[in-house]
């Protein structure tokens, strides 16, 4: 039995690194934790659930006591929908701040739920500013909640969470955060960022495998949310109340994924928590960005807006560059990259998160150089129009 699992983990080691923002590359110990079956009602599994809930709250720091962690089955979007469904009111508006695919998805979710909202759409990547949020909130008293994406993974931009949180709180409104790709690496201290609810998932900066997500909700807001959800399955209040009462998830939990997440949390703590992660991801990002710039590539965002989570690069203007070919060449060399999501210019993305360090990122940059050679791309410099786009945000 032991031998078998060692062999299979060795095989996994040779699989390509996922330079994608989740699912991402996980540690062998995380994957190995899935090699056992759990009964969902079993007291051992209940203990596991209790433990991951309290461990997630510890990541918040000293304010953990004011918050509750509620795991929810499904990918991150299920958590976003459960947050909006459980907390966004039907009789007041929610201000949805969008600068990319995930902000727009939240607006679409509100459409499905027929909840009133106002959308501030900044396009592909430009960040919503605290001043804009302030003037909207001051001019519209029917807005009670604000939704912000922490790191908008579609461009990689780090949105001004603290500034938006400050005006939202000063004007007496409630903040809902999609911190999917940031929580666990970028610190969120409720003393500085007053929020009602944030959501994240197992397969991003905690470096677990995909299968569930979780909300962190201020206890008083959670208690007040009873009966607000449009959906039985996605009702965070109901999930929380049942878990408190019975120690169990309401419906079949992804038991193996929870066991893997528990292992991932252990690593998170032993590797220095969010600060340790931020340091490693920042090193990955620095190696990536300087290496790619040396090859002639340009990032969509200027330095102050770059996140250590994922970086968007413009396509080279060289006609020999073909993304599908580039993707295959990179994969052959052991690296899975990510297509871009911009409407304004062709781009691709490379993720900095996952269980690997800067030595792997150095190899990835070498693989990019080799792949360009193989395609016959002479310069990775993007088109002038792309560079003009970049100048909009300095
Ligand atoms: C990953 C992610 C989500 C959730 O996406 P799923 O595909 O449902 O897991 C939501 N918001 C952001 C910012 C993300 O990075």
């Amino acid at each position: 039995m032991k031998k078998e699992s060692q062999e299979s983990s060795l095989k996994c080691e040779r699989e390509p690194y996922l330079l994608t923002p989740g699912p991402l590359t996980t540690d062998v110990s995380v994957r190995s934790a899935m090699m056992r079956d759990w009964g969902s009602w079993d007291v051992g599994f209940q203990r596991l659930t209790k433990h991951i809930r309290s461990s997630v709250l510890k990541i918040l720091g000293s304010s953990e006591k004011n918050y509750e962690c509620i795991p929810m089955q499904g990918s991150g979007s299920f958590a976003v929908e459960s947050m909006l469904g459980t907390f966004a009111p039907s009789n007041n508006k929610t201000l949805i701040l969008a600068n990319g695919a995930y902000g727009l998805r939240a607006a679409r979710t509100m459409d499905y739920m027929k909840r009133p909202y106002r959308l501030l759409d900044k396009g592909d990547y430009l960040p919503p500013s605290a001043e804009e949020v302030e003037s909207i909130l001051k001019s519209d008293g029917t807005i009670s909640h604000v939704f912000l994406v922490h790191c908008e993974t579609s461009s990689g931009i780090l949105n001004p969470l603290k500034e938006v949180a400050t005006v939202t709180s000063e004007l007496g409104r409630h903040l809902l955060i999609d911190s999917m790709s940031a929580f666990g690496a970028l610190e969120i201290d409720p003393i500085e960022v007053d929020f009602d609810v944030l959501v994240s998932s197992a397969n991003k900066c905690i470096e677990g495998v995909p299968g569930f997500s979780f909300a962190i909700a201020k206890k008083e807001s959670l208690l007040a949310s009873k009966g607000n959800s449009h959906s039985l399955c996605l009702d965070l209040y109901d999930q929380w109340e049942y878990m408190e009462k019975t120690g169990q998830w309401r419906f079949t939990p992804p038991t193996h994924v929870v066991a893997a997440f528990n292992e991932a949390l252990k690593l998170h703590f032993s590797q220095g928590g969010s600060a340790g992660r931020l340091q490693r991801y920042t090193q990955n990002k620095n190696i990536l960005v300087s290496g790619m710039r040396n090859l002639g590539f340009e990032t969509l965002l200027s330095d102050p807006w770059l996140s250590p989570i994922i970086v968007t690069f413009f396509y080279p203007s060289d006609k020999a560059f073909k993304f599908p070919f580039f993707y295959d060449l990179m994969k052959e060399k052991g690296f899975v990259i990510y297509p871009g999501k911009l409407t304004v210019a062709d781009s691709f993305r490379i993720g900095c998160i996952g269980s690997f360090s800067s030595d792997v990122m150095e190899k990835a940059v070498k693989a990019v150089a080799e792949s360009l050679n193989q395609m016959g791309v002479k310069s990775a410099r993007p088109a002038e129009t792309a560079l003009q786009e970049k100048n909009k945000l300095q």
Side-chain angles (χ1 to χ4, degrees):
M1 179 65 201
K2 189 120 207 212
K3 186 149 180 291
E4 232 173 65
S5 78
Q6 274 169 4
E7 270 168 19
S8 64
S9 61
L10 218 97
K11 219 167 88 195
C12 288
E13 284 277 292
R14 288 196 214 102
E15 285 164 9
Y17 284 96
L18 301 181
L19 304 184
T20 56
L24 39 62
T25 302
T26 56
D27 192 85
V28 176
S29 65
V30 170
R31 298 194 295 273
S32 307
M34 293 188 286
M35 297 296 285
R36 108 156 238 205
D37 300 318
W38 295 86
S40 61
W41 43 263
D42 181 73
V43 63
F45 186 72
Q46 288 184 30
R47 234 181 271 133
L48 203 57
T49 296
K50 195 169 170 197
H51 190 247
I52 61 148
R53 291 176 65 204
S54 61
S55 301
V56 164
L57 287 178
K58 284 205 183 99
I59 296 176
L60 273 194
S62 59
S63 311
E64 62 173 295
K65 284 187 184 57
N66 305 330
Y67 287 83
E68 292 287 323
C69 170
I70 312 121
M72 179 57 72
Q73 294 93 330
S75 83
S77 303
F78 290 67
V80 174
E81 185 162 334
S82 61
M83 171 169 73
L84 293 172
T86 308
F87 294 92
S90 311
N91 55 350
N92 274 320
K93 273 186 256 164
T94 299
L95 174 61
I96 305 279
L97 304 173
N99 56 337
Y102 293 106
L104 292 178
R105 189 181 295 172
R108 241 185 120 208
T109 306
M110 295 293 275
D111 286 332
Y112 265 76
M113 298 188 303
K114 301 188 168 60
R115 297 277 167 97
Y117 69 93
R118 174 154 169 192
L119 176 65
L120 176 66
D121 183 3
K122 301 289 293 180
D124 266 357
Y125 60 92
L126 293 172
S129 74
E131 292 74 31
E132 284 171 293
V133 174
E134 185 176 12
S135 90
I136 293 173
L137 293 183
K138 279 185 172 159
S139 70
D140 191 343
T142 67
I143 297 173
S144 60
H145 287 63
V146 175
F147 169 92
L148 177 71
V149 180
H150 190 180
C151 171
E152 177 46 86
T153 324
S154 50
S155 66
I157 194 167
L158 207 48
N159 279 325
L161 171 64
K162 209 164 138 184
E163 292 80 355
V164 170
T166 302
V167 294
T168 302
S169 159
E170 277 171 8
L171 295 171
R173 311 315 217 280
H174 303 272
L175 184 62
L176 308 175
I177 309 169
D178 171 353
S179 186
M180 209 65 64
S181 62
F183 183 77
L186 297 161
E187 219 136 344
I188 301 185
D189 184 345
I191 294 168
E192 289 183 350
V193 174
D194 179 20
F195 69 89
D196 269 37
V197 192
L198 79 74
V199 285
S200 186
S201 84
N203 61 283
K204 299 236 164 149
C205 297
I206 311 288
E207 298 183 356
V209 303
F212 79 94
S213 45
F214 53 88
I216 297 177
K218 208 183 257 177
K219 189 152 181 190
E220 60 184 50
S221 309
L222 182 63
L223 291 172
S225 74
K226 185 176 182 174
N228 192 50
S229 179
H230 65 302
S231 156
L232 168 67
C233 290
L234 297 175
D235 188 347
L236 285 169
Y237 179 87
D238 203 48
Q239 178 92 320
W240 172 75
E241 189 186 43
Y242 188 84
M243 237 173 222
E244 289 291 300
K245 238 185 241 161
T246 66
Q248 297 173 25
W249 300 50
R250 287 174 307 166
F251 316 125
T252 304
T255 50
H256 302 82
V257 179
V258 173
F261 188 68
N262 185 48
E263 200 58 39
L265 281 167
K266 275 189 214 159
L267 284 180
H268 188 270
F269 288 110
S270 72
Q271 294 171 352
S274 300
R277 248 186 217 161
L278 179 61
Q279 193 182 17
R280 180 158 58 80
Y281 294 167
T282 302
Q283 278 169 359
N284 289 349
K285 186 261 291 173
N286 290 342
I287 296 285
L288 173 70
V289 169
S290 66
M292 294 291 278
R293 283 180 180 160
N294 279 341
L295 296 174
F297 281 102
E298 285 279 354
T299 56
L300 162 73
L301 304 172
S302 47
D303 288 350
W305 297 99
L306 283 178
S307 70
I309 308 298
I310 188 165
V311 181
T312 299
F313 297 95
F314 292 118
Y315 280 9
S317 63
D318 193 318
K319 292 276 178 295
F321 182 86
K322 299 272 182 287
F323 182 74
F325 192 22
F326 180 56
Y327 179 94
D328 289 344
L329 290 169
M330 286 295 289
K331 190 171 166 193
E332 258 171 34
K333 296 172 183 53
F335 300 100
V336 170
I337 60 170
Y338 217 47
K341 252 189 186 169
L342 303 180
T343 52
V344 288
D346 286 330
S347 62
F348 64 91
R349 292 173 290 170
I350 296 186
C352 310
I353 61 178
S355 178
F356 63 88
S357 305
S358 50
D359 55 320
V360 170
M361 203 50 118
E362 276 167 15
K363 288 188 188 127
V365 173
K366 278 195 189 125
V368 171
E370 259 180 57
S371 303
L372 292 183
N373 264 336
Q374 284 173 288
M375 287 187 289
V377 175
K378 303 230 165 40
S379 158
R381 196 178 157 76
E384 286 310 311
T385 48
L387 295 175
Q388 282 160 16
E389 186 61 39
K390 185 187 168 95
N391 290 334
K392 284 190 197 161
L393 178 65
Q394 286 306 340

